[in-house]
Amino acid sequence: MTGENAPATCRLVTVIVPVYNEEKTVQDLIRRVLDAPFEKELLVVDDGSTDGTAAQVESMGDERVRLICSRSNNGKGAAIREAIPYARGKAIVIQDADLEYDPNEIPQVVGPILAGQESIVYGNRFERGFPKGMALPNRVINWILAKLVYALFGYPLHDEATCYKAFRTDLLQGMELTCRRFEFCPEVTAKALRAGEKIKEVSITYTPRSKKAGKKIRWYDGVAAIWTLIKYRFSR
């Protein structure tokens, strides 16, 4: 597979799915995305899984699903960056494989981009308050990140760490990203705002997953996110 870019299709949405040891949920997630009401291609990046994740994806045999395999576990950000050059849709949206987000809501996230009205859209999990079941540390770090975006960039963003981030494909492909782990979110946010881009938010639902159920983000990823926002606000 090469990284050559094909012309973006006007209604096609590229869904990038970074996965690491998600054999229990990956097929269910892919089916949900495939059944959702929009034209799509899925770029599933297996980030060095040690279970049967890649085999689960391969066994589905759907031509809309392309599997990219990494030999080692490099992190969510690295997996997303690996897939970006292959995107053929007009819009790119990020989708985790842990079933916390509902793929049926992707159309409302990417809709403003497909309509040519926006270049970046984030799904906002907090329009109706914090979702039931979200752990207190996660609530605190999400509140801090939103306040920090306003303090650093003067931009009123309510959900900086949302997974559902959608971009006009050529815009994201033109960004110089270096992230490896969960700092994809603050890096792409900071670089977009530094470039003068606006970020539209639309309300989405969210069903939090616990650490026991396989949630991988940890407290130190929140610290890294804070540092990343600060770093890319002032570094040139």
Side-chain angles (χ1 to χ4, degrees), residues 40-71:
K40 81 277 294 180
E41 65 168 1
L42 275 70
L43 301 181
V44 181
V45 186
D46 180 41
D47 188 34
S49 294
T50 56
D51 63 0
T53 297
Q56 291 284 338
V57 177
E58 288 179 329
S59 68
M60 299 189 73
D62 192 298
E63 63 181 10
R64 293 170 293 177
V65 181
R66 291 189 286 167
L67 177 64
I68 303 171
C69 290
S70 175
R71 294 183 179 180

Side-chain angles (χ1 to χ4, degrees), residues 96 98-102 105 123-126 128-135 138-139 142 159 161-164 203-210 215 217:
D96 286 343
D98 55 13
L99 307 182
E100 290 186 322
Y101 294 79
D102 182 2
E105 295 182 334
N124 178 11
R125 297 168 291 172
F126 307 132
R128 306 177 189 90
F130 286 110
K132 183 179 179 180
M134 176 177 265
N138 296 88
R139 296 186 182 200
N142 276 281
D159 192 358
T162 180
C163 167
Y164 270 177
S203 180
I204 60 169
T205 56
Y206 177 66
T207 306
R209 183 170 72 157
S210 67
K215 192 171 184 67
I217 197 165

Side-chain angles (χ1 to χ4, degrees), residues 155-182:
Y155 200 87
L157 195 64
H158 300 92
D159 192 358
E160 189 283 325
T162 180
C163 167
Y164 270 177
K165 290 177 165 63
F167 308 86
R168 201 180 70 236
T169 296
D170 63 318
L171 175 64
L172 188 59
Q173 289 177 335
M175 283 190 183
E176 294 185 9
L177 301 174
T178 62
C179 51
R180 294 188 61 83
R181 286 180 49 78
F182 294 102

Side-chain angles (χ1 to χ4, degrees), residues 213-230:
K215 192 171 184 67
K216 298 177 177 65
I217 197 165
R218 299 293 183 263
W219 67 267
Y220 46 79
D221 293 304
V223 176
I226 292 170
W227 166 241
T228 301
L229 283 174
I230 295 171

